Amino acid sequence: MSIKESFSHILSEIDKDKKYINEEVFENTPRRMEEFYLDFFSGININPMDYFKNTFECDNNNVVIEKNINFYSMCEHHFLPFFGKISIAYIPNKKIIGFGDIVKTIEAFSKRPQLQERLTEDIARAIVEGLNPLGVFIVIEAEHLCMTMRGVRKPGTKIITSSSKGIFEKSQEKRAEVMALLKLND
């Protein structure tokens, strides 16, 4: 059964008596949902490590930060979206990656049914594996519609997860430095 057929079935189950859902209004909804799901979950078919094939030599090991990267994902527990911002800091080990490739890596992981905690770790591990940096620090802040629309119904609640690898895991001083840099101009 296709996504489109499945969604048609869901619509008919929601309104068994056809009191609300009429064919004219909802005629193209199953097709639109299929297109949306195929795009939204396209990360399942992408290997994020492919984005680490084009690296660049770097003659220093100063911290590199890309912050406030918008993302959207889908909670695997309730199939409701969660969304927010991701900030990534890493200390190169004489090798860097393009900023666009970091965004593509985030997209590949976030376009899967996901848990925020796993998303945080998956991105950190990919950067460690792809670049072998001296350290990686990631912070994700997101709002989960499963907490906003159902369950506890607390709109505006933010979930924050982080991951520290390498020097950021071992050195409180380095972790404090990068956290201070992430707060600049917020």
Side-chain angles (χ1 to χ4, degrees), residues 26-175:
F26 290 95
E27 180 179 3
N28 293 312
T29 300
R31 178 189 49 78
R32 287 190 296 267
M33 289 304 300
E34 181 173 64
E35 290 169 1
F36 166 72
Y37 275 18
L38 291 173
D39 175 59
F40 201 87
F41 297 116
S42 62
I44 290 172
N45 300 311
I46 295 171
N47 179 358
M49 298 314 298
D50 288 345
Y51 300 118
F52 291 89
K53 290 180 180 174
N54 296 317
T55 60
F56 307 96
E57 293 292 320
C58 178
D59 63 357
N60 66 65
N61 286 329
N62 296 325
V63 68
V64 175
I65 296 176
E66 191 168 355
K67 72 180 211 174
N68 295 330
I69 304 162
N70 290 315
F71 80 97
Y72 301 88
S73 194
M74 190 76 75
C75 169
E76 67 184 37
H77 290 150
H78 303 101
F79 252 60
L80 288 170
F82 67 95
F83 55 92
K85 295 188 182 297
I86 298 176
S87 294
I88 295 175
Y90 71 94
I91 297 177
N93 190 4
K94 304 296 182 190
K95 188 165 62 169
I96 59 173
I97 187 174
F99 297 126
D101 287 332
I102 290 175
V103 171
K104 290 174 190 173
T105 300
I106 290 168
E107 288 289 309
F109 282 117
S110 64
K111 285 188 161 194
R112 301 172 179 190
Q114 191 63 267
L115 295 174
Q116 183 175 332
E117 297 87 344
R118 184 182 321 116
L119 178 62
T120 308
E121 282 301 310
D122 284 347
I123 295 168
R125 277 194 291 258
I127 293 171
V128 167
E129 185 180 328
L131 291 178
N132 191 31
L134 300 176
V136 174
F137 185 79
I138 296 177
V139 177
I140 299 180
E141 182 177 307
E143 183 169 347
H144 292 244
L145 292 186
C146 57
M147 287 186 63
T148 299
M149 298 173 62
R150 56 158 307 282
V152 295
R153 290 188 172 95
K154 295 296 177 198
T157 302
K158 303 287 180 163
I159 306 299
I160 298 172
T161 53
S162 67
S163 180
S164 304
K165 305 290 183 210
I167 197 166
F168 294 119
E169 190 173 28
K170 296 174 182 126
S171 168
Q172 285 185 326
E173 183 180 312
K174 280 294 187 190
R175 196 167 44 251

